[in-house]
Amino acid sequence: NAGVTQTPKFRVLKTGQSMTLLCAQDMNHEYMYWYRQDPGMGLRLIHYSVGEGTTAKGEVPDGYNVSRLKKQNFLLGLESAAPSQTSVYFCASRAAGGKTEAFFGQGTRLTVV
Amino acid sequence: RKEVEQDPGPFNVPEGATVAFNCTYSNSASQSFFWYRQDCRKEPKLLMSVYSSGNEDGRFTAQLNRASQYISLLIRDSKLSDSATYLCVVNSITFNKFYFGSGTKLNVKP
């Protein structure tokens, strides 16, 4: 049972480089989320999607773009990485409905130098 | 103002103690509530949902107070394995945003 899979698990980028984080879920969930977690800050919502082809901004969207071309995949892009984007990134998915549980991927540890 | 606020702790308690965490939320339209547990450098996992009438799961009891806009988690007979960070989560059905508090760290000591 794969659940939610994030790729890659670790990455070091130089300032100004770009990269894409991939989140894949095999539970046929409608909703998908990207969070970042910094020490003492908890999880902050970057972008989210309520269905294929739709995306919306969360609390901290600046510097990131997302796409949901297929229901099972949610991509997070950094066009020009900055040291402030050094963080642990978590992807989550959940079924439609207000009371459904979110399932998380194992996280991507990104360092921007 | 943050959507969800928690006391960061840490709470340092001996085994067998009872400990309670509170969490406040700012959006009165929030519709569903959860407690997640996160172990060091791991992904969060659902501990329990929080129902309007309150609910219990073994040693864990969750309560919701809509009038005051807070939820609580009570852990009885703490075990060493309960050491973790506990995250409060609030969802607004209207927007389907799943907001996390910053987490409360619990250390249970022998």
mmCIF file of all heavy atoms in Angstrom, chain A residues 31 33 35 37 40-43 45 48 50 57 59 90 94 97-102 104-106 109, chain B residues 3 31-32 34 36 38 41-44 46 49 66 87 91 93 95-103:
data_model
loop_
_atom_site.group_PDB
_atom_site.id
_atom_site.type_symbol
_atom_site.label_atom_id
_atom_site.label_comp_id
_atom_site.label_asym_id
_atom_site.label_seq_id
_atom_site.Cartn_x
_atom_site.Cartn_y
_atom_site.Cartn_z
ATOM 1 N N TYR A 31 -8.741 15.726 -2.805
ATOM 2 C CA TYR A 31 -8.013 16.886 -2.308
ATOM 3 C C TYR A 31 -6.549 16.558 -2.088
ATOM 4 O O TYR A 31 -6.217 15.494 -1.561
ATOM 5 C CB TYR A 31 -8.591 17.369 -0.972
ATOM 6 C CG TYR A 31 -10.068 17.659 -0.967
ATOM 7 C CD1 TYR A 31 -10.802 17.545 0.210
ATOM 8 C CD2 TYR A 31 -10.743 18.041 -2.115
ATOM 9 C CE1 TYR A 31 -12.157 17.816 0.239
ATOM 10 C CE2 TYR A 31 -12.105 18.309 -2.100
ATOM 11 C CZ TYR A 31 -12.807 18.192 -0.917
ATOM 12 O OH TYR A 31 -14.150 18.452 -0.890
ATOM 13 N N TYR A 33 -2.654 18.591 -0.917
ATOM 14 C CA TYR A 33 -2.100 19.759 -0.237
ATOM 15 C C TYR A 33 -0.572 19.703 -0.254
ATOM 16 O O TYR A 33 0.018 18.631 -0.174
ATOM 17 C CB TYR A 33 -2.540 19.780 1.238
ATOM 18 C CG TYR A 33 -4.023 19.747 1.466
ATOM 19 C CD1 TYR A 33 -4.725 18.535 1.469
ATOM 20 C CD2 TYR A 33 -4.735 20.909 1.715
ATOM 21 C CE1 TYR A 33 -6.093 18.505 1.689
ATOM 22 C CE2 TYR A 33 -6.105 20.883 1.943
ATOM 23 C CZ TYR A 33 -6.778 19.676 1.929
ATOM 24 O OH TYR A 33 -8.131 19.651 2.149
ATOM 25 N N TYR A 35 2.488 21.430 2.095
ATOM 26 C CA TYR A 35 2.838 22.187 3.292
ATOM 27 C C TYR A 35 4.356 22.302 3.371
ATOM 28 O O TYR A 35 5.088 21.467 2.861
ATOM 29 C CB TYR A 35 2.377 21.456 4.561
ATOM 30 C CG TYR A 35 0.892 21.337 4.745
ATOM 31 C CD1 TYR A 35 0.197 20.242 4.242
ATOM 32 C CD2 TYR A 35 0.179 22.297 5.442
ATOM 33 C CE1 TYR A 35 -1.168 20.125 4.423
ATOM 34 C CE2 TYR A 35 -1.193 22.185 5.637
ATOM 35 C CZ TYR A 35 -1.852 21.092 5.118
ATOM 36 O OH TYR A 35 -3.200 20.978 5.306
ATOM 37 N N GLN A 37 7.271 22.822 6.580
ATOM 38 C CA GLN A 37 7.418 22.800 8.034
ATOM 39 C C GLN A 37 8.799 23.304 8.401
ATOM 40 O O GLN A 37 9.816 22.724 8.015
ATOM 41 C CB GLN A 37 7.197 21.392 8.605
ATOM 42 C CG GLN A 37 7.197 21.375 10.128
ATOM 43 C CD GLN A 37 6.806 20.032 10.712
ATOM 44 O OE1 GLN A 37 7.088 18.980 10.154
ATOM 45 N NE2 GLN A 37 6.125 20.056 11.852
ATOM 46 N N GLY A 40 9.589 25.182 14.890
ATOM 47 C CA GLY A 40 8.760 26.066 15.695
ATOM 48 C C GLY A 40 7.593 26.694 14.956
ATOM 49 O O GLY A 40 6.839 27.478 15.544
ATOM 50 N N MET A 41 7.427 26.373 13.676
ATOM 51 C CA MET A 41 6.374 27.030 12.897
ATOM 52 C C MET A 41 5.220 26.100 12.573
ATOM 53 O O MET A 41 4.225 26.528 12.033
ATOM 54 C CB MET A 41 6.955 27.560 11.577
ATOM 55 C CG MET A 41 8.031 28.591 11.748
ATOM 56 S SD MET A 41 7.394 30.143 12.375
ATOM 57 C CE MET A 41 6.492 30.728 10.955
ATOM 58 N N GLY A 42 5.337 24.841 12.874
ATOM 59 C CA GLY A 42 4.280 23.926 12.482
ATOM 60 C C GLY A 42 4.214 23.783 10.971
ATOM 61 O O GLY A 42 5.140 24.155 10.255
ATOM 62 N N LEU A 43 3.112 23.243 10.476
ATOM 63 C CA LEU A 43 2.926 23.057 9.042
ATOM 64 C C LEU A 43 2.157 24.251 8.487
ATOM 65 O O LEU A 43 1.076 24.592 8.991
ATOM 66 C CB LEU A 43 2.140 21.780 8.748
ATOM 67 C CG LEU A 43 2.932 20.482 8.737
ATOM 68 C CD1 LEU A 43 3.192 20.001 10.140
ATOM 69 C CD2 LEU A 43 2.201 19.426 7.938
ATOM 70 N N LEU A 45 0.390 25.924 5.069
ATOM 71 C CA LEU A 45 -0.179 25.517 3.790
ATOM 72 C C LEU A 45 0.353 26.410 2.668
ATOM 73 O O LEU A 45 0.216 27.630 2.714
ATOM 74 C CB LEU A 45 -1.708 25.595 3.868
ATOM 75 C CG LEU A 45 -2.486 25.151 2.645
ATOM 76 C CD1 LEU A 45 -2.233 23.678 2.340
ATOM 77 C CD2 LEU A 45 -3.981 25.404 2.872
ATOM 78 N N TYR A 48 -3.072 24.242 -2.458
ATOM 79 C CA TYR A 48 -3.863 23.034 -2.364
ATOM 80 C C TYR A 48 -4.724 22.882 -3.615
ATOM 81 O O TYR A 48 -4.825 23.811 -4.437
ATOM 82 C CB TYR A 48 -4.715 23.026 -1.091
ATOM 83 C CG TYR A 48 -5.803 24.076 -1.032
ATOM 84 C CD1 TYR A 48 -7.137 23.736 -1.235
ATOM 85 C CD2 TYR A 48 -5.496 25.401 -0.732
ATOM 86 C CE1 TYR A 48 -8.128 24.694 -1.162
ATOM 87 C CE2 TYR A 48 -6.480 26.367 -0.662
ATOM 88 C CZ TYR A 48 -7.796 26.005 -0.867
ATOM 89 O OH TYR A 48 -8.780 26.963 -0.797
ATOM 90 N N VAL A 50 -8.526 20.988 -4.969
ATOM 91 C CA VAL A 50 -9.745 20.241 -4.619
ATOM 92 C C VAL A 50 -10.197 19.335 -5.752
ATOM 93 O O VAL A 50 -11.288 18.743 -5.679
ATOM 94 C CB VAL A 50 -10.884 21.187 -4.177
ATOM 95 C CG1 VAL A 50 -10.463 21.957 -2.936
ATOM 96 C CG2 VAL A 50 -11.272 22.140 -5.296
ATOM 97 N N LYS A 57 -4.381 29.030 -3.605
ATOM 98 C CA LYS A 57 -3.299 29.445 -2.723
ATOM 99 C C LYS A 57 -3.626 29.164 -1.267
ATOM 100 O O LYS A 57 -4.774 29.276 -0.847
ATOM 101 C CB LYS A 57 -3.046 30.947 -2.901
ATOM 102 C CG LYS A 57 -2.520 31.321 -4.271
ATOM 103 C CD LYS A 57 -2.287 32.824 -4.375
ATOM 104 C CE LYS A 57 -1.756 33.197 -5.757
ATOM 105 N NZ LYS A 57 -1.528 34.656 -5.879
ATOM 106 N N GLU A 59 -1.531 29.636 2.774
ATOM 107 C CA GLU A 59 -1.037 30.719 3.621
ATOM 108 C C GLU A 59 0.250 31.355 3.100
ATOM 109 O O GLU A 59 0.477 32.540 3.266
ATOM 110 C CB GLU A 59 -0.735 30.179 5.025
ATOM 111 C CG GLU A 59 -1.887 29.542 5.746
ATOM 112 C CD GLU A 59 -1.392 28.844 7.006
ATOM 113 O OE1 GLU A 59 -1.309 29.493 8.068
ATOM 114 O OE2 GLU A 59 -1.076 27.635 6.937
ATOM 115 N N PHE A 90 5.895 18.698 3.007
ATOM 116 C CA PHE A 90 4.998 17.545 3.114
ATOM 117 C C PHE A 90 3.836 17.705 2.153
ATOM 118 O O PHE A 90 3.245 18.780 2.041
ATOM 119 C CB PHE A 90 4.432 17.414 4.532
ATOM 120 C CG PHE A 90 5.408 16.902 5.548
ATOM 121 C CD1 PHE A 90 5.990 17.766 6.460
ATOM 122 C CD2 PHE A 90 5.730 15.553 5.603
ATOM 123 C CE1 PHE A 90 6.886 17.302 7.409
ATOM 124 C CE2 PHE A 90 6.634 15.079 6.539
ATOM 125 C CZ PHE A 90 7.202 15.961 7.435
ATOM 126 N N ARG A 94 -6.568 13.786 0.815
ATOM 127 C CA ARG A 94 -7.714 13.315 1.577
ATOM 128 C C ARG A 94 -8.907 13.188 0.645
ATOM 129 O O ARG A 94 -8.981 13.838 -0.400
ATOM 130 C CB ARG A 94 -8.049 14.239 2.747
ATOM 131 C CG ARG A 94 -8.164 15.689 2.437
ATOM 132 C CD ARG A 94 -8.194 16.512 3.719
ATOM 133 N NE ARG A 94 -9.497 16.423 4.350
ATOM 134 C CZ ARG A 94 -10.447 17.344 4.221
ATOM 135 N NH1 ARG A 94 -10.221 18.428 3.522
ATOM 136 N NH2 ARG A 94 -11.605 17.197 4.822
ATOM 137 N N GLY A 97 -15.102 15.721 1.267
ATOM 138 C CA GLY A 97 -15.922 15.716 2.481
ATOM 139 C C GLY A 97 -15.197 16.438 3.588
ATOM 140 O O GLY A 97 -13.972 16.454 3.630
ATOM 141 N N GLY A 98 -15.962 17.048 4.498
ATOM 142 C CA GLY A 98 -15.334 17.886 5.499
ATOM 143 C C GLY A 98 -14.639 17.150 6.613
ATOM 144 O O GLY A 98 -13.741 17.681 7.260
ATOM 145 N N LYS A 99 -15.015 15.897 6.855
ATOM 146 C CA LYS A 99 -14.503 15.228 8.046
ATOM 147 C C LYS A 99 -13.514 14.113 7.738
ATOM 148 O O LYS A 99 -13.232 13.268 8.578
ATOM 149 C CB LYS A 99 -15.676 14.674 8.844
ATOM 150 C CG LYS A 99 -16.612 15.784 9.332
ATOM 151 C CD LYS A 99 -17.730 15.226 10.196
ATOM 152 C CE LYS A 99 -18.738 16.298 10.573
ATOM 153 N NZ LYS A 99 -18.147 17.382 11.361
ATOM 154 N N THR A 100 -12.975 14.131 6.537
ATOM 155 C CA THR A 100 -12.072 13.050 6.167
ATOM 156 C C THR A 100 -10.651 13.321 6.624
ATOM 157 O O THR A 100 -10.198 14.467 6.694
ATOM 158 C CB THR A 100 -12.081 12.831 4.653
ATOM 159 O OG1 THR A 100 -11.713 14.049 3.997
ATOM 160 C CG2 THR A 100 -13.463 12.396 4.182
ATOM 161 N N GLU A 101 -9.940 12.238 6.912
ATOM 162 C CA GLU A 101 -8.567 12.290 7.389
ATOM 163 C C GLU A 101 -7.608 12.616 6.257
ATOM 164 O O GLU A 101 -7.824 12.209 5.119
ATOM 165 C CB GLU A 101 -8.237 10.918 7.974
ATOM 166 C CG GLU A 101 -6.793 10.644 8.298
ATOM 167 C CD GLU A 101 -6.562 9.191 8.640
ATOM 168 O OE1 GLU A 101 -7.542 8.399 8.665
ATOM 169 O OE2 GLU A 101 -5.399 8.829 8.876
ATOM 170 N N ALA A 102 -6.534 13.324 6.562
ATOM 171 C CA ALA A 102 -5.470 13.572 5.591
ATOM 172 C C ALA A 102 -4.344 12.574 5.799
ATOM 173 O O ALA A 102 -3.972 12.271 6.936
ATOM 174 C CB ALA A 102 -4.929 14.992 5.729
ATOM 175 N N PHE A 104 -0.355 11.671 4.781
ATOM 176 C CA PHE A 104 0.836 12.410 4.400
ATOM 177 C C PHE A 104 1.895 11.536 3.738
ATOM 178 O O PHE A 104 2.018 10.348 4.052
ATOM 179 C CB PHE A 104 1.469 13.059 5.639
ATOM 180 C CG PHE A 104 0.757 14.278 6.092
ATOM 181 C CD1 PHE A 104 -0.388 14.188 6.856
ATOM 182 C CD2 PHE A 104 1.226 15.533 5.737
ATOM 183 C CE1 PHE A 104 -1.062 15.328 7.265
ATOM 184 C CE2 PHE A 104 0.568 16.677 6.143
ATOM 185 C CZ PHE A 104 -0.578 16.569 6.911
ATOM 186 N N GLY A 105 2.660 12.179 2.864
ATOM 187 C CA GLY A 105 3.874 11.561 2.380
ATOM 188 C C GLY A 105 4.969 11.701 3.430
ATOM 189 O O GLY A 105 4.784 12.344 4.460
ATOM 190 N N GLN A 106 6.115 11.104 3.148
ATOM 191 C CA GLN A 106 7.192 11.055 4.139
ATOM 192 C C GLN A 106 8.017 12.330 4.190
ATOM 193 O O GLN A 106 8.892 12.454 5.047
ATOM 194 C CB GLN A 106 8.099 9.858 3.846
ATOM 195 C CG GLN A 106 7.394 8.535 4.088
ATOM 196 C CD GLN A 106 8.315 7.353 3.863
ATOM 197 O OE1 GLN A 106 8.953 7.228 2.820
ATOM 198 N NE2 GLN A 106 8.401 6.482 4.847
ATOM 199 N N ARG A 109 13.166 16.844 2.260
ATOM 200 C CA ARG A 109 14.041 17.792 2.966
ATOM 201 C C ARG A 109 14.832 18.549 1.930
ATOM 202 O O ARG A 109 15.677 17.972 1.247
ATOM 203 C CB ARG A 109 14.968 17.044 3.918
ATOM 204 C CG ARG A 109 14.192 16.317 4.968
ATOM 205 C CD ARG A 109 15.044 15.672 6.039
ATOM 206 N NE ARG A 109 14.172 14.923 6.934
ATOM 207 C CZ ARG A 109 13.444 15.470 7.896
ATOM 208 N NH1 ARG A 109 13.522 16.762 8.109
ATOM 209 N NH2 ARG A 109 12.659 14.740 8.651
ATOM 210 N N GLU B 3 -4.637 30.997 12.073
ATOM 211 C CA GLU B 3 -5.900 30.257 12.055
ATOM 212 C C GLU B 3 -6.018 29.345 13.275
ATOM 213 O O GLU B 3 -7.119 29.170 13.826
ATOM 214 C CB GLU B 3 -5.968 29.414 10.789
ATOM 215 C CG GLU B 3 -6.070 30.203 9.501
ATOM 216 C CD GLU B 3 -7.480 30.720 9.251
ATOM 217 O OE1 GLU B 3 -8.436 30.177 9.824
ATOM 218 O OE2 GLU B 3 -7.606 31.694 8.476
ATOM 219 N N GLN B 31 -15.351 23.582 10.480
ATOM 220 C CA GLN B 31 -16.348 22.524 10.571
ATOM 221 C C GLN B 31 -15.845 21.202 11.119
ATOM 222 O O GLN B 31 -16.618 20.432 11.650
ATOM 223 C CB GLN B 31 -16.936 22.280 9.172
ATOM 224 C CG GLN B 31 -17.659 23.478 8.591
ATOM 225 C CD GLN B 31 -18.931 23.772 9.337
ATOM 226 O OE1 GLN B 31 -19.535 22.887 9.910
ATOM 227 N NE2 GLN B 31 -19.326 25.040 9.364
ATOM 228 N N SER B 32 -14.573 20.921 10.934
ATOM 229 C CA SER B 32 -14.082 19.641 11.437
ATOM 230 C C SER B 32 -12.718 19.835 12.077
ATOM 231 O O SER B 32 -11.970 20.754 11.724
ATOM 232 C CB SER B 32 -14.027 18.595 10.330
ATOM 233 O OG SER B 32 -13.259 19.038 9.244
ATOM 234 N N PHE B 34 -9.292 17.858 14.256
ATOM 235 C CA PHE B 34 -8.530 16.625 14.408
ATOM 236 C C PHE B 34 -7.328 16.880 15.313
ATOM 237 O O PHE B 34 -6.851 18.011 15.429
ATOM 238 C CB PHE B 34 -7.977 16.155 13.054
ATOM 239 C CG PHE B 34 -8.996 16.039 11.955
ATOM 240 C CD1 PHE B 34 -9.351 17.140 11.198
ATOM 241 C CD2 PHE B 34 -9.584 14.820 11.669
ATOM 242 C CE1 PHE B 34 -10.286 17.044 10.185
ATOM 243 C CE2 PHE B 34 -10.513 14.712 10.644
ATOM 244 C CZ PHE B 34 -10.862 15.818 9.905
ATOM 245 N N TYR B 36 -3.429 15.355 15.361
ATOM 246 C CA TYR B 36 -2.424 14.530 14.709
ATOM 247 C C TYR B 36 -1.221 14.413 15.627
ATOM 248 O O TYR B 36 -0.960 15.296 16.455
ATOM 249 C CB TYR B 36 -1.977 15.166 13.374
ATOM 250 C CG TYR B 36 -2.868 14.826 12.205
ATOM 251 C CD1 TYR B 36 -4.160 15.334 12.128
ATOM 252 C CD2 TYR B 36 -2.418 13.996 11.193
ATOM 253 C CE1 TYR B 36 -4.980 15.018 11.055
ATOM 254 C CE2 TYR B 36 -3.221 13.673 10.114
ATOM 255 C CZ TYR B 36 -4.495 14.188 10.050
ATOM 256 O OH TYR B 36 -5.310 13.871 8.985
ATOM 257 N N GLN B 38 2.989 13.768 15.564
ATOM 258 C CA GLN B 38 4.166 13.763 14.701
ATOM 259 C C GLN B 38 5.392 13.381 15.521
ATOM 260 O O GLN B 38 5.736 14.049 16.488
ATOM 261 C CB GLN B 38 4.387 15.127 14.043
ATOM 262 C CG GLN B 38 5.524 15.131 13.033
ATOM 263 C CD GLN B 38 5.674 16.447 12.306
ATOM 264 O OE1 GLN B 38 5.353 17.505 12.823
ATOM 265 N NE2 GLN B 38 6.196 16.392 11.070
ATOM 266 N N ARG B 41 11.018 14.182 12.893
ATOM 267 C CA ARG B 41 11.447 14.067 11.506
ATOM 268 C C ARG B 41 10.601 13.086 10.688
ATOM 269 O O ARG B 41 11.024 12.598 9.662
ATOM 270 C CB ARG B 41 12.930 13.659 11.441
ATOM 271 C CG ARG B 41 13.846 14.648 12.150
ATOM 272 C CD ARG B 41 15.273 14.134 12.193
ATOM 273 N NE ARG B 41 15.946 14.227 10.910
ATOM 274 C CZ ARG B 41 16.542 15.316 10.455
ATOM 275 N NH1 ARG B 41 16.519 16.411 11.176
ATOM 276 N NH2 ARG B 41 17.147 15.305 9.284
ATOM 277 N N LYS B 42 9.364 12.840 11.181
ATOM 278 C CA LYS B 42 8.465 11.969 10.434
ATOM 279 C C LYS B 42 7.226 12.748 10.000
ATOM 280 O O LYS B 42 7.012 13.888 10.425
ATOM 281 C CB LYS B 42 8.025 10.795 11.319
ATOM 282 C CG LYS B 42 9.153 9.869 11.754
ATOM 283 C CD LYS B 42 9.599 9.002 10.617
ATOM 284 C CE LYS B 42 10.625 7.963 11.028
ATOM 285 N NZ LYS B 42 10.061 6.941 11.908
ATOM 286 N N GLU B 43 6.409 12.108 9.166
ATOM 287 C CA GLU B 43 5.187 12.765 8.736
ATOM 288 C C GLU B 43 4.117 12.695 9.825
ATOM 289 O O GLU B 43 4.090 11.764 10.629
ATOM 290 C CB GLU B 43 4.659 12.123 7.438
ATOM 291 C CG GLU B 43 4.057 10.745 7.589
ATOM 292 C CD GLU B 43 5.079 9.643 7.513
ATOM 293 O OE1 GLU B 43 6.280 9.875 7.781
ATOM 294 O OE2 GLU B 43 4.671 8.509 7.200
ATOM 295 N N PRO B 44 3.206 13.673 9.855
ATOM 296 C CA PRO B 44 2.102 13.626 10.827
ATOM 297 C C PRO B 44 1.159 12.466 10.532
ATOM 298 O O PRO B 44 0.936 12.110 9.370
ATOM 299 C CB PRO B 44 1.379 14.964 10.607
ATOM 300 C CG PRO B 44 2.350 15.829 9.878
ATOM 301 C CD PRO B 44 3.179 14.903 9.051
ATOM 302 N N LEU B 46 -2.742 10.739 11.854
ATOM 303 C CA LEU B 46 -3.968 11.013 12.596
ATOM 304 C C LEU B 46 -3.973 10.285 13.934
ATOM 305 O O LEU B 46 -3.764 9.075 14.000
ATOM 306 C CB LEU B 46 -5.184 10.581 11.772
ATOM 307 C CG LEU B 46 -6.527 10.811 12.449
ATOM 308 C CD1 LEU B 46 -6.824 12.306 12.559
ATOM 309 C CD2 LEU B 46 -7.643 10.089 11.704
ATOM 310 N N SER B 49 -10.066 12.065 15.446
ATOM 311 C CA SER B 49 -10.948 13.161 15.077
ATOM 312 C C SER B 49 -11.597 13.694 16.349
ATOM 313 O O SER B 49 -11.618 13.007 17.373
ATOM 314 C CB SER B 49 -12.029 12.661 14.117
ATOM 315 O OG SER B 49 -11.452 12.112 12.954
ATOM 316 N N ARG B 66 -17.267 24.875 20.819
ATOM 317 C CA ARG B 66 -17.491 25.788 19.678
ATOM 318 C C ARG B 66 -17.695 27.227 20.136
ATOM 319 O O ARG B 66 -17.290 28.167 19.460
ATOM 320 C CB ARG B 66 -18.698 25.330 18.869
ATOM 321 C CG ARG B 66 -18.425 24.121 18.001
ATOM 322 C CD ARG B 66 -19.576 23.904 17.023
ATOM 323 N NE ARG B 66 -19.382 22.713 16.219
ATOM 324 C CZ ARG B 66 -18.699 22.700 15.076
ATOM 325 N NH1 ARG B 66 -18.158 23.804 14.612
ATOM 326 N NH2 ARG B 66 -18.579 21.564 14.394
ATOM 327 N N LEU B 87 -0.341 17.859 17.076
ATOM 328 C CA LEU B 87 -0.764 18.935 16.190
ATOM 329 C C LEU B 87 -2.284 19.020 16.144
ATOM 330 O O LEU B 87 -2.964 18.021 15.909
ATOM 331 C CB LEU B 87 -0.242 18.681 14.769
ATOM 332 C CG LEU B 87 1.282 18.575 14.629
ATOM 333 C CD1 LEU B 87 1.640 17.899 13.314
ATOM 334 C CD2 LEU B 87 1.900 19.950 14.691
ATOM 335 N N ASN B 91 -10.403 22.264 9.899
ATOM 336 C CA ASN B 91 -10.778 22.318 8.491
ATOM 337 C C ASN B 91 -12.041 23.136 8.287
ATOM 338 O O ASN B 91 -13.012 22.959 9.016
ATOM 339 C CB ASN B 91 -11.017 20.909 7.957
ATOM 340 C CG ASN B 91 -11.368 20.907 6.482
ATOM 341 O OD1 ASN B 91 -10.696 21.549 5.682
ATOM 342 N ND2 ASN B 91 -12.421 20.210 6.119
ATOM 343 N N ILE B 93 -14.943 23.527 5.802
ATOM 344 C CA ILE B 93 -15.533 22.802 4.678
ATOM 345 C C ILE B 93 -15.715 23.727 3.486
ATOM 346 O O ILE B 93 -15.549 23.341 2.340
ATOM 347 C CB ILE B 93 -16.877 22.184 5.089
ATOM 348 C CG1 ILE B 93 -16.634 21.032 6.067
ATOM 349 C CG2 ILE B 93 -17.655 21.704 3.879
ATOM 350 C CD1 ILE B 93 -17.884 20.346 6.526
ATOM 351 N N PHE B 95 -13.860 26.086 2.374
ATOM 352 C CA PHE B 95 -12.662 26.303 1.587
ATOM 353 C C PHE B 95 -11.774 25.068 1.490
ATOM 354 O O PHE B 95 -10.794 25.069 0.767
ATOM 355 C CB PHE B 95 -11.862 27.469 2.168
ATOM 356 C CG PHE B 95 -12.636 28.756 2.173
ATOM 357 C CD1 PHE B 95 -13.155 29.261 3.349
ATOM 358 C CD2 PHE B 95 -12.852 29.435 0.996
ATOM 359 C CE1 PHE B 95 -13.879 30.445 3.343
ATOM 360 C CE2 PHE B 95 -13.562 30.627 0.985
ATOM 361 C CZ PHE B 95 -14.086 31.129 2.161
ATOM 362 N N ASN B 96 -12.097 24.061 2.226
ATOM 363 C CA ASN B 96 -11.312 22.834 2.210
ATOM 364 C C ASN B 96 -9.840 23.039 2.532
ATOM 365 O O ASN B 96 -8.998 22.274 2.106
ATOM 366 C CB ASN B 96 -11.461 22.118 0.866
ATOM 367 C CG ASN B 96 -12.810 21.452 0.778
ATOM 368 O OD1 ASN B 96 -13.150 20.644 1.636
ATOM 369 N ND2 ASN B 96 -13.589 21.814 -0.211
ATOM 370 N N LYS B 97 -9.552 24.084 3.264
ATOM 371 C CA LYS B 97 -8.191 24.286 3.724
ATOM 372 C C LYS B 97 -8.017 23.540 5.032
ATOM 373 O O LYS B 97 -8.863 23.598 5.900
ATOM 374 C CB LYS B 97 -7.922 25.771 3.933
ATOM 375 C CG LYS B 97 -7.950 26.583 2.654
ATOM 376 C CD LYS B 97 -7.603 28.033 2.936
ATOM 377 C CE LYS B 97 -7.642 28.834 1.652
ATOM 378 N NZ LYS B 97 -7.303 30.260 1.888
ATOM 379 N N PHE B 98 -6.904 22.866 5.128
ATOM 380 C CA PHE B 98 -6.637 22.018 6.283
ATOM 381 C C PHE B 98 -5.527 22.707 7.063
ATOM 382 O O PHE B 98 -4.361 22.606 6.701
ATOM 383 C CB PHE B 98 -6.180 20.650 5.741
ATOM 384 C CG PHE B 98 -6.638 19.462 6.513
ATOM 385 C CD1 PHE B 98 -7.982 19.208 6.698
ATOM 386 C CD2 PHE B 98 -5.723 18.576 7.035
ATOM 387 C CE1 PHE B 98 -8.411 18.085 7.379
ATOM 388 C CE2 PHE B 98 -6.133 17.444 7.724
ATOM 389 C CZ PHE B 98 -7.482 17.196 7.892
ATOM 390 N N TYR B 99 -5.898 23.436 8.144
ATOM 391 C CA TYR B 99 -4.921 24.245 8.854
ATOM 392 C C TYR B 99 -4.367 23.521 10.070
ATOM 393 O O TYR B 99 -5.123 22.962 10.865
ATOM 394 C CB TYR B 99 -5.558 25.545 9.329
ATOM 395 C CG TYR B 99 -5.820 26.544 8.228
ATOM 396 C CD1 TYR B 99 -7.112 26.843 7.845
ATOM 397 C CD2 TYR B 99 -4.761 27.193 7.594
ATOM 398 C CE1 TYR B 99 -7.355 27.772 6.849
ATOM 399 C CE2 TYR B 99 -4.998 28.124 6.592
ATOM 400 C CZ TYR B 99 -6.298 28.405 6.229
ATOM 401 O OH TYR B 99 -6.534 29.320 5.242
ATOM 402 N N PHE B 100 -3.046 23.601 10.229
ATOM 403 C CA PHE B 100 -2.374 22.991 11.369
ATOM 404 C C PHE B 100 -1.914 24.042 12.363
ATOM 405 O O PHE B 100 -1.468 25.128 11.978
ATOM 406 C CB PHE B 100 -1.129 22.228 10.897
ATOM 407 C CG PHE B 100 -1.413 20.881 10.308
ATOM 408 C CD1 PHE B 100 -1.915 20.774 9.026
ATOM 409 C CD2 PHE B 100 -1.183 19.728 11.032
ATOM 410 C CE1 PHE B 100 -2.189 19.535 8.470
ATOM 411 C CE2 PHE B 100 -1.445 18.483 10.486
ATOM 412 C CZ PHE B 100 -1.946 18.387 9.206
ATOM 413 N N GLY B 101 -2.009 23.698 13.633
ATOM 414 C CA GLY B 101 -1.339 24.484 14.645
ATOM 415 C C GLY B 101 0.150 24.185 14.608
ATOM 416 O O GLY B 101 0.591 23.265 13.904
ATOM 417 N N SER B 102 0.911 24.924 15.366
ATOM 418 C CA SER B 102 2.371 24.752 15.352
ATOM 419 C C SER B 102 2.826 23.548 16.162
ATOM 420 O O SER B 102 3.990 23.176 16.108
ATOM 421 C CB SER B 102 3.051 26.019 15.857
ATOM 422 O OG SER B 102 2.584 26.343 17.143
ATOM 423 N N GLY B 103 1.904 22.949 16.918
ATOM 424 C CA GLY B 103 2.250 21.729 17.626
ATOM 425 C C GLY B 103 2.655 21.960 19.071
ATOM 426 O O GLY B 103 3.228 22.995 19.409
#
